[in-house]
Amino acid sequence: MAPMNRKTKPTFDPKALLATVAPGRTTKQYWKGQTIFSQGDRADAVFFVERGKVKLTVLSGQGKQAVIALLGPENFFGEGCLAGQPVRMSTATAMKDSSIVLVPRLTMIGALHEDAEFSELFIAYLLSRNIRIEEDLVDQLFNSSEKRLARILLLLANFGKEGRPERVVPQISQETLAEMVGTTRSRVSFFMNKFRKLGFIEYNGGLEVHSSLLHVVLHD
C-alpha cells in the first residue's frame, strides 16, 4: 500500500500575516534609544520588528530596572493587548535605528479571526515565546550568574536556531547584560574576561561567540 500523503504544515511567515492587515497597519522609523512605548501606556496595538532591534524592560516600584527581552527582525511584541491587557507592562526601546510596524488591536483580532491557518500559526508563535520565557525563569531561579550570562550570549548569537551563528549585533553593553542576567556590571566584566581568556568569545570588530561556550552552560 502506498504511503498516505500528509499535508505539510506551513511555516510561520509573519510578513505574510501582516500582508493580510495591510489597510490597517502603519510603519514608523525609530532611531537608536527612542522609546516605542512606555510601561503604563495604553495597550491598543501589536508591534512587529521589520528592521532593527528592540529592548523590553520593566521597572519596579523601587526603581529597579530589568531587561526581559531583546527582539530582532520578524518578532512581534506588545501582543498582550490581544488578551485584554489594558496597559503596557514593559517599556520598548529601539536599540538601533529600527523600522517598526504597528497593527491596531482590533485590526489584528479581525485578521486572525478571518484566517484560521495564520491564527493557528500565530498561536504557535506565542506559545514558543512562552516556552522561552519559562526557560528564562528556570535559568534565573536555578543557575549561577556565570551560566545565565553564557546562555544569554549563546541566544543572542542564534545558537540552537537554524542558520549559521552570528556575531552579537548590535553590540550589547555590559550594563544591559547585567540587567538581563540579574547581577552587577563588575561580575559581567569578570565573566566576559574569563570567557575571552578561555577562547569562548573574542572581540574582532564585534563580539564573536563560539560554540565552546556551551561547556559553561552544560557543565555542572
Side-chain angles (χ1 to χ4, degrees):
M1 180 182 295
M4 295 178 61
N5 292 325
R6 295 185 177 181
K7 183 180 178 181
T8 302
K9 189 173 182 178
T11 57
F12 181 65
D13 185 349
K15 291 185 178 179
L17 173 59
L18 288 173
T20 68
V21 295
R25 68 175 181 170
T26 57
T27 302
K28 185 175 179 181
Q29 309 304 314
Y30 292 86
W31 60 84
K32 180 180 179 180
Q34 186 175 1
T35 299
I36 300 167
F37 60 72
S38 297
Q39 187 172 329
D41 285 353
R42 182 182 176 187
D44 55 4
V46 177
F47 296 83
F48 175 76
V49 184
E50 190 172 57
R51 174 182 56 81
K53 204 171 192 71
V54 173
K55 174 174 67 174
L56 300 182
T57 59
V58 293
L59 189 67
S60 72
Q62 293 72 40
K64 185 177 181 180
Q65 179 175 279
V67 177
I68 58 174
L70 298 180
L71 305 173
E74 300 195 354
N75 272 280
F76 288 92
F77 62 101
E79 63 273 10
C81 67
L82 299 177
Q85 185 184 81
V87 297
R88 300 295 181 191
M89 304 302 292
S90 62
T91 295
T93 307
M95 296 187 68
K96 59 187 298 188
D97 293 348
S98 303
S99 178
I100 307 295
V101 177
L102 181 154
V103 183
R105 172 179 173 273
L106 293 179
T107 301
M108 188 71 168
I109 290 175
L112 292 172
H113 283 171
E114 292 170 7
D115 194 321
E117 182 176 292
F118 278 121
S119 179
E120 178 185 353
L121 292 171
F122 186 71
I123 290 172
Y125 167 83
L126 295 181
L127 289 174
S128 68
R129 281 274 301 274
N130 187 63
I131 290 171
R132 165 70 184 279
I133 292 171
E134 289 181 350
E135 291 174 344
D136 289 345
L137 178 59
V138 170
D139 188 45
Q140 189 77 16
L141 290 173
F142 298 109
N143 289 332
S144 67
S145 55
E146 182 178 13
K147 281 189 176 183
R148 295 200 301 272
L149 176 60
R151 178 174 176 270
I152 286 170
L153 292 174
L154 289 165
L155 289 171
L156 290 172
N158 291 328
F159 280 94
K161 297 182 179 181
E162 293 183 1
R164 185 176 180 179
E166 302 173 351
R167 290 180 178 178
V168 178
V169 179
Q171 292 185 352
I172 308 299
S173 70
Q174 291 190 354
E175 287 84 355
T176 297
L177 287 173
E179 290 173 355
M180 297 180 72
V181 172
T183 188
T184 63
R185 181 189 177 283
S186 61
R187 291 293 287 169
V188 167
S189 179
F190 172 80
F191 292 134
M192 293 291 280
N193 287 329
K194 178 181 177 181
F195 295 162
R196 181 179 55 80
K197 290 176 181 178
L198 292 172
F200 297 154
I201 64 173
E202 63 179 294
Y203 298 96
N204 184 23
L207 178 62
E208 297 270 2
V209 178
H210 302 301
S211 59
S212 55
L213 186 59
L214 281 168
H215 294 301
V216 176
V217 177
L218 300 177
H219 180 71
D220 292 327

XYZ file of all heavy atoms in Angstrom, residues 151-204:
442
model
N 24.410 31.573 28.677
C 23.194 31.226 27.928
C 22.681 32.417 27.135
O 22.278 32.280 25.966
C 22.118 30.732 28.895
C 20.789 30.395 28.229
C 19.817 29.774 29.220
N 18.522 29.553 28.598
C 17.529 30.449 28.600
N 17.709 31.630 29.191
N 16.375 30.183 28.013
N 22.683 33.599 27.745
C 22.214 34.793 27.053
C 23.085 35.103 25.834
O 22.581 35.428 24.757
C 22.188 35.986 28.029
C 21.022 35.837 28.997
C 22.068 37.310 27.268
C 21.047 36.820 30.143
N 24.396 34.977 25.976
C 25.293 35.229 24.846
C 25.041 34.252 23.708
O 25.046 34.630 22.531
C 26.753 35.150 25.306
C 27.224 36.262 26.249
C 28.642 35.965 26.738
C 27.175 37.622 25.573
N 24.803 32.994 24.056
C 24.526 31.985 23.034
C 23.207 32.276 22.319
O 23.105 32.124 21.095
C 24.494 30.591 23.658
C 25.860 30.048 24.102
C 25.683 28.841 25.026
C 26.705 29.660 22.884
N 22.200 32.694 23.079
C 20.919 33.027 22.470
C 21.041 34.237 21.554
O 20.475 34.266 20.456
C 19.880 33.302 23.559
C 19.392 32.091 24.352
C 18.534 32.531 25.537
C 18.603 31.139 23.456
N 21.793 35.234 21.982
C 21.990 36.419 21.156
C 22.729 36.097 19.869
O 22.541 36.757 18.844
C 22.763 37.486 21.939
C 22.011 38.158 23.098
C 22.953 39.031 23.897
C 20.838 38.983 22.573
N 23.573 35.072 19.913
C 24.335 34.671 18.730
C 23.611 33.627 17.891
O 24.171 33.084 16.940
C 25.702 34.128 19.156
N 22.347 33.332 18.264
C 21.486 32.428 17.492
C 21.895 30.966 17.552
O 21.502 30.180 16.683
C 21.391 32.853 16.019
C 20.625 34.136 15.846
O 19.707 34.424 16.606
N 21.016 34.923 14.864
N 22.682 30.566 18.547
C 22.985 29.138 18.682
C 21.715 28.395 19.052
O 20.924 28.849 19.868
C 24.060 28.907 19.753
C 25.446 29.172 19.264
C 26.040 30.404 19.449
C 26.163 28.193 18.587
C 27.315 30.664 18.995
C 27.439 28.445 18.122
C 28.022 29.685 18.323
N 21.539 27.225 18.422
C 20.339 26.439 18.665
C 19.228 26.752 17.692
O 18.193 26.116 17.698
N 19.441 27.748 16.809
C 18.468 28.086 15.788
C 18.995 27.681 14.429
O 20.171 27.387 14.261
C 18.173 29.597 15.801
C 17.554 30.090 17.093
C 17.248 31.571 16.988
C 16.616 32.088 18.262
N 16.290 33.533 18.178
N 18.088 27.658 13.466
C 18.505 27.331 12.116
C 19.405 28.437 11.574
O 19.260 29.599 11.881
C 17.277 27.174 11.209
C 16.412 25.965 11.581
C 15.256 25.817 10.614
O 15.157 26.626 9.674
O 14.461 24.886 10.798
N 20.319 28.022 10.756
C 21.218 29.004 10.169
C 22.529 29.070 10.917
O 22.718 28.485 11.971
N 23.453 29.800 10.351
C 24.784 29.922 10.934
C 24.786 30.940 12.076
O 24.199 32.002 11.971
C 25.757 30.377 9.851
C 27.209 30.424 10.316
C 28.113 30.787 9.156
N 29.500 30.834 9.573
C 30.509 31.108 8.752
N 30.262 31.349 7.476
N 31.741 31.130 9.203
N 25.420 30.576 13.188
C 25.517 31.537 14.291
C 26.151 32.843 13.821
O 26.990 32.856 12.939
C 26.413 30.813 15.313
C 26.222 29.363 15.011
C 26.042 29.285 13.521
N 25.699 33.941 14.430
C 26.166 35.252 14.011
C 26.859 35.968 15.161
O 26.812 35.536 16.291
C 24.961 36.089 13.544
C 24.179 35.448 12.412
C 22.904 36.221 12.117
O 22.579 37.128 12.904
O 22.255 35.905 11.116
N 27.480 37.081 14.830
C 28.001 37.947 15.873
C 26.837 38.509 16.674
O 25.710 38.572 16.193
C 28.768 39.111 15.258
C 30.077 38.727 14.604
C 30.722 39.971 14.032
N 32.013 39.678 13.432
C 32.777 40.579 12.830
N 32.360 41.836 12.764
N 33.932 40.251 12.318
N 27.131 38.914 17.887
C 26.124 39.612 18.668
C 26.054 41.033 18.136
O 26.944 41.839 18.362
C 26.481 39.615 20.166
C 25.430 40.384 20.955
C 26.579 38.186 20.683
N 25.025 41.291 17.357
C 24.863 42.604 16.736
C 23.453 43.118 17.050
O 22.491 42.380 16.909
C 25.044 42.521 15.208
C 24.839 43.883 14.570
C 26.431 41.976 14.862
N 23.262 44.350 17.475
C 24.313 45.329 17.728
C 25.080 45.011 18.994
O 24.697 44.132 19.745
C 23.531 46.637 17.895
C 22.241 46.191 18.491
C 21.940 44.869 17.819
N 26.166 45.729 19.226
C 26.948 45.495 20.418
C 26.094 45.744 21.651
O 25.395 46.741 21.755
C 28.177 46.400 20.442
C 29.207 46.055 19.368
C 30.473 46.881 19.493
O 30.535 47.807 20.289
N 31.468 46.535 18.703
N 26.151 44.808 22.581
C 25.371 44.892 23.809
C 26.276 45.388 24.922
O 27.354 44.827 25.143
C 24.786 43.513 24.177
C 24.028 42.912 22.994
C 23.885 43.616 25.395
C 22.856 43.722 22.531
N 25.852 46.414 25.614
C 26.666 46.944 26.698
C 26.670 45.984 27.883
O 25.755 45.182 28.061
C 26.138 48.309 27.154
O 24.896 48.157 27.828
N 27.710 46.074 28.689
C 27.783 45.238 29.875
C 26.699 45.610 30.871
O 26.243 44.752 31.645
C 29.170 45.330 30.502
C 30.251 44.689 29.646
C 31.583 44.563 30.360
O 31.761 45.043 31.474
N 32.538 43.910 29.709
N 26.261 46.849 30.870
C 25.157 47.254 31.739
C 23.874 46.515 31.359
O 23.137 46.025 32.225
C 24.922 48.765 31.645
C 25.983 49.617 32.323
C 27.184 49.867 31.425
O 27.241 49.304 30.293
O 28.075 50.627 31.840
N 23.607 46.407 30.034
C 22.421 45.698 29.566
C 22.518 44.217 29.896
O 21.541 43.603 30.346
C 22.240 45.893 28.054
O 22.024 47.280 27.777
C 21.046 45.104 27.546
N 23.694 43.632 29.687
C 23.877 42.220 30.023
C 23.659 41.989 31.513
O 23.050 40.989 31.907
C 25.280 41.762 29.609
C 25.523 41.598 28.110
C 26.995 41.317 27.840
C 24.662 40.469 27.537
N 24.142 42.912 32.331
C 23.963 42.775 33.776
C 22.484 42.804 34.142
O 22.025 42.044 35.015
C 24.713 43.888 34.504
N 21.703 43.670 33.482
C 20.272 43.743 33.741
C 19.567 42.463 33.312
O 18.617 42.024 33.956
C 19.670 44.937 33.000
C 20.100 46.290 33.569
C 19.619 47.453 32.724
O 19.040 47.202 31.650
O 19.807 48.607 33.143
N 20.034 41.847 32.233
C 19.433 40.603 31.758
C 19.792 39.425 32.662
O 18.971 38.546 32.912
C 19.882 40.320 30.325
C 19.452 41.353 29.313
S 20.001 40.958 27.632
C 18.924 39.572 27.246
N 21.016 39.414 33.136
C 21.485 38.306 33.973
C 20.959 38.438 35.400
O 20.698 37.447 36.079
C 23.030 38.250 33.976
C 23.539 37.228 34.982
C 23.548 37.934 32.577
N 20.791 39.677 35.841
C 20.382 39.900 37.212
C 21.563 39.954 38.160
O 21.523 39.406 39.267
N 22.635 40.594 37.705
C 23.833 40.709 38.521
C 24.441 42.088 38.299
O 23.815 42.954 37.687
C 24.849 39.597 38.171
O 25.926 39.620 39.109
C 25.393 39.752 36.771
N 25.647 42.299 38.803
C 26.289 43.603 38.668
C 27.133 43.671 37.400
O 27.543 42.635 36.851
C 27.186 43.889 39.877
O 28.239 42.907 39.920
C 26.390 43.830 41.166
N 27.434 44.891 36.971
C 28.278 45.071 35.792
C 29.675 44.517 36.038
O 30.303 43.946 35.135
C 28.353 46.557 35.426
C 29.192 46.824 34.186
C 29.427 48.313 33.972
N 30.273 48.558 32.828
C 31.596 48.406 32.812
N 32.224 47.984 33.906
N 32.294 48.658 31.722
N 30.184 44.666 37.255
C 31.531 44.172 37.563
C 31.608 42.655 37.434
O 32.617 42.117 36.971
C 31.961 44.610 38.969
O 31.089 44.083 39.951
N 30.530 41.957 37.815
C 30.509 40.499 37.677
C 30.465 40.107 36.202
O 31.141 39.160 35.782
C 29.300 39.901 38.404
C 29.377 40.014 39.910
C 30.496 39.170 40.488
N 30.184 37.742 40.445
C 31.086 36.785 40.691
N 32.348 37.114 40.963
N 30.740 35.518 40.651
N 29.685 40.840 35.417
C 29.629 40.566 33.984
C 30.999 40.778 33.363
O 31.470 39.960 32.554
C 28.571 41.462 33.302
C 28.732 41.414 31.776
C 27.173 41.022 33.688
N 31.673 41.854 33.737
C 33.009 42.137 33.215
C 33.978 41.015 33.572
O 34.785 40.586 32.735
C 33.514 43.466 33.772
O 34.809 43.756 33.305
N 33.884 40.519 34.796
C 34.759 39.434 35.241
C 34.530 38.182 34.398
O 35.488 37.549 33.918
C 34.494 39.132 36.718
C 35.200 37.906 37.229
C 36.539 37.948 37.589
C 34.520 36.696 37.330
C 37.191 36.809 38.052
C 35.168 35.554 37.796
C 36.502 35.614 38.160
N 33.268 37.821 34.190
C 32.962 36.610 33.428
C 33.320 36.776 31.948
O 33.801 35.825 31.310
C 31.483 36.250 33.567
C 31.089 35.796 34.943
C 29.952 36.292 35.551
C 31.854 34.860 35.637
C 29.586 35.884 36.828
C 31.493 34.436 36.907
C 30.356 34.961 37.503
N 33.092 37.963 31.392
C 33.432 38.196 29.983
C 34.935 38.057 29.768
O 35.382 37.455 28.773
C 32.950 39.577 29.552
C 31.440 39.731 29.515
S 30.643 38.780 28.205
C 30.927 39.848 26.800
N 35.721 38.583 30.683
C 37.177 38.429 30.586
C 37.582 36.971 30.714
O 38.491 36.496 30.017
C 37.869 39.268 31.669
C 37.831 40.752 31.369
O 37.827 41.158 30.211
N 37.783 41.576 32.414
N 36.899 36.258 31.599
C 37.170 34.830 31.769
C 36.842 34.064 30.493
O 37.639 33.227 30.031
C 36.355 34.279 32.937
C 36.527 32.791 33.176
C 35.671 32.320 34.349
C 35.774 30.815 34.545
N 34.918 30.358 35.686
N 35.678 34.337 29.902
C 35.278 33.660 28.663
C 36.272 33.958 27.536
O 36.609 33.075 26.732
C 33.873 34.117 28.228
C 32.765 33.729 29.174
C 31.533 34.375 29.127
C 32.940 32.724 30.108
C 30.507 34.028 29.981
C 31.912 32.361 30.984
C 30.695 33.025 30.917
N 36.748 35.207 27.488
C 37.694 35.585 26.432
C 39.018 34.843 26.602
O 39.582 34.329 25.632
C 37.918 37.093 26.454
C 38.871 37.601 25.382
C 39.038 39.108 25.446
N 39.469 39.552 26.764
C 40.723 39.504 27.191
N 41.682 39.017 26.406
N 41.041 39.936 28.392
N 39.516 34.770 27.829
C 40.781 34.091 28.090
C 40.698 32.592 27.781
O 41.682 31.977 27.364
C 41.199 34.300 29.546
C 41.618 35.735 29.852
C 41.936 35.916 31.330
C 42.332 37.359 31.636
N 42.591 37.564 33.082
N 39.518 32.024 27.968
C 39.319 30.601 27.679
C 39.023 30.334 26.198
O 38.894 29.182 25.788
C 38.174 30.046 28.536
C 38.458 29.972 30.047
C 37.187 29.598 30.808
C 39.562 28.953 30.325
N 38.883 31.386 25.410
C 38.639 31.230 23.976
C 37.186 31.008 23.617
O 36.879 30.650 22.478
N 36.272 31.247 24.571
C 34.845 31.057 24.308
C 34.262 32.224 23.511
O 33.294 32.051 22.767
C 34.072 30.904 25.614
C 34.456 29.686 26.419
C 34.275 29.665 27.795
C 34.994 28.560 25.812
C 34.624 28.557 28.551
C 35.352 27.443 26.550
C 35.169 27.437 27.922
N 34.827 33.404 23.693
C 34.390 34.585 22.955
C 35.631 35.356 22.515
O 36.727 35.119 23.030
C 33.495 35.515 23.802
C 34.280 36.090 24.987
C 32.235 34.796 24.262
C 33.512 37.140 25.775
N 35.453 36.260 21.558
C 36.546 37.133 21.158
C 35.972 38.423 20.599
O 34.821 38.467 20.166
C 37.448 36.459 20.130
C 36.795 36.120 18.811
C 37.767 35.476 17.842
O 38.716 36.167 17.425
O 37.577 34.300 17.511
N 36.770 39.457 20.656
C 36.373 40.750 20.118
C 37.145 40.970 18.826
O 38.357 41.068 18.817
C 36.681 41.859 21.124
C 35.922 41.715 22.421
C 36.501 41.104 23.535
C 34.616 42.183 22.527
C 35.792 40.963 24.722
C 33.902 42.048 23.709
C 34.497 41.440 24.802
O 33.789 41.300 25.971
N 36.402 41.013 17.722
C 37.024 41.163 16.409
C 36.125 42.041 15.546
O 35.477 41.580 14.618
C 37.239 39.791 15.766
C 37.970 39.868 14.442
O 38.677 40.832 14.173
N 37.787 38.859 13.609
